[in-house]
Amino acid sequence: RQQSKHVVRKEYNEPIEAPDLSAKSWLRWIWKQLTSMKIALFLLLLLAIAAVPGSIYPQRSADPNGVALYFKNNPDFAKVLDSLQLFDVYASSWFSAIYLLLFISLIGCLLPRIGVHYKALREKPPAPPTNLARLPQYKKVTGEKVKLEAAFEYLTKNKYKVIAESKGKALVELRAEKGYLRETGNLIFHISLVGVLISVALGGALSF
């Protein structure tokens, strides 16, 4: 059941409605945090740290004789390590939880970004503002120096996405932009990372 509370500020006597704290709101907030790039990077670092014990202690899946020897030489300490699943690190519940959270985080982060990037690739360059002073950098050129045909050739030659407006045979306006390659490469990298996670999971499931 949704509940809302009202608090009155003393200096203004204005009621302030508290945000909705329903389960749906909490789930939305948790999902937003989980699918942020910051959390994805944190989980990736956490996964790397969680994998360290697997290279320190012998693992049952790869070296069962080493585990048996460890129990023989350190019986009491080995029981503690075994209770923490440190002899089965890559199949442990805590390692699997981090792995699954990282997978969900990357998928949830990638899908919206892919949609936004695809939409941006298909859209035309935006029209310039009526007030050029709103732009961080601009320059006005008038008179005979204006050569839109030469600018059009230069922009197309340098791989800009160009939209040309003309009246009759004369160009009157050019709009151009580029810079999508960095985001494309970023998305390809993260998609490849998801592919690596899937491959490792399949390899572990098939005892490879």
Side-chain angles (χ1 to χ4, degrees), residues 129-159:
T130 54
N131 182 12
L132 291 178
R134 293 172 57 190
L135 297 174
Q137 293 183 356
Y138 70 95
K139 181 180 180 180
K140 289 184 179 181
V141 182
T142 58
E144 296 180 356
K145 294 182 179 180
V146 178
K147 297 180 179 179
L148 291 182
E149 288 77 8
F152 179 80
E153 293 180 4
Y154 172 83
L155 293 170
T156 52
K157 183 179 179 180
N158 286 273
K159 309 300 182 182

Side-chain angles (χ1 to χ4, degrees), residues 50-70:
V52 171
S55 62
I56 296 177
Y57 302 109
Q59 301 296 295
R60 284 194 175 92
S61 59
D63 187 13
N65 293 329
V67 175
L69 183 62
Y70 199 95

